[in-house]
Amino acid sequence: MINLIILINKFYKKKFKKTPEIAITGLNPHCESNYKNSEEEKIIKPAIKFLIKKKFNVNGPFPADTIFMPEISKKYDVVVGMYHDQVLVPMKTLFGFDAINITLGLPFIRISPDHGPNEKMLGQNKSNPKSLIQAIKFLDIK
């Protein structure tokens, strides 16, 4: 998680000339568990404390079931989740096809529409092009 936050921070500074505000989710529902050595206590909270000491704008851990509520999420540029569906399900619910996928950590920036190939619709002119248009627009950022 620490390396991911460093990558996101570098990306935002390079592409947007700003330091991002980053929210981090917990792993367990409501960031709680029935045992003392939860992932939040052993891993996530110490990593957040370390990042804050290093002057990164991070906050959390937040329960994944409430972080995407507008009054919370509007305070952040990025939400980092602990696994795929924890953030992609609400993101796709909120933004539909109006989102893109950015892969960081490669020797180049990888941008793609934020949906799968949907081979069943290939050649039928039924696909929604919004995500592809957003990906192309993003590449135009100077």
Side-chain angles (χ1 to χ4, degrees):
M1 177 176 68
I2 291 171
N3 289 338
L4 177 63
I5 300 302
I6 292 168
L7 274 173
I8 291 167
N9 205 61
K10 284 180 185 177
F11 175 76
Y12 259 77
K13 284 183 176 183
K14 184 176 180 181
K15 286 293 175 191
F16 302 115
K17 310 291 188 250
K18 71 178 274 187
T19 301
E21 296 289 336
I22 301 171
I24 299 173
T25 69
L27 177 65
N28 296 295
H30 312 290
C31 296
E32 301 171 349
S33 74
N34 291 332
Y35 58 96
K36 284 185 177 187
N37 291 323
S38 70
E39 290 82 2
E40 285 81 13
E41 295 301 323
K42 281 184 5 184
I43 302 165
I44 299 169
K45 285 180 182 179
I48 291 170
K49 286 179 185 175
F50 172 83
L51 289 162
I52 290 170
K53 281 184 183 178
K54 297 292 183 184
K55 306 294 184 203
F56 289 90
N57 295 335
V58 296
N59 202 348
F62 291 97
D65 64 348
T66 57
I67 186 61
F68 287 96
M69 295 175 75
E71 61 270 20
I72 302 171
S73 65
K74 71 181 178 183
K75 299 174 187 173
Y76 298 96
D77 301 301
V78 177
V79 175
V80 173
M82 296 297 120
Y83 57 93
H84 181 274
D85 287 353
Q86 194 180 46
V87 291
L88 287 182
V89 171
M91 190 184 86
K92 288 180 180 184
T93 300
L94 291 169
F95 300 106
F97 290 108
D98 204 17
I100 61 174
N101 183 312
I102 304 170
T103 303
L104 302 178
L106 301 172
F108 53 89
I109 297 174
R110 181 195 165 275
I111 309 290
S112 69
D114 197 24
H115 54 72
N118 193 2
E119 293 178 19
K120 292 177 184 174
M121 290 173 51
L122 244 155
Q124 297 181 30
N125 200 24
K126 292 181 179 179
S127 296
N128 185 327
K130 272 183 150 181
S131 188
L132 176 61
I133 292 165
Q134 291 297 1
I136 293 167
K137 283 181 181 178
F138 182 85
L139 290 172
D140 195 36
I141 293 176
K142 312 253 180 305

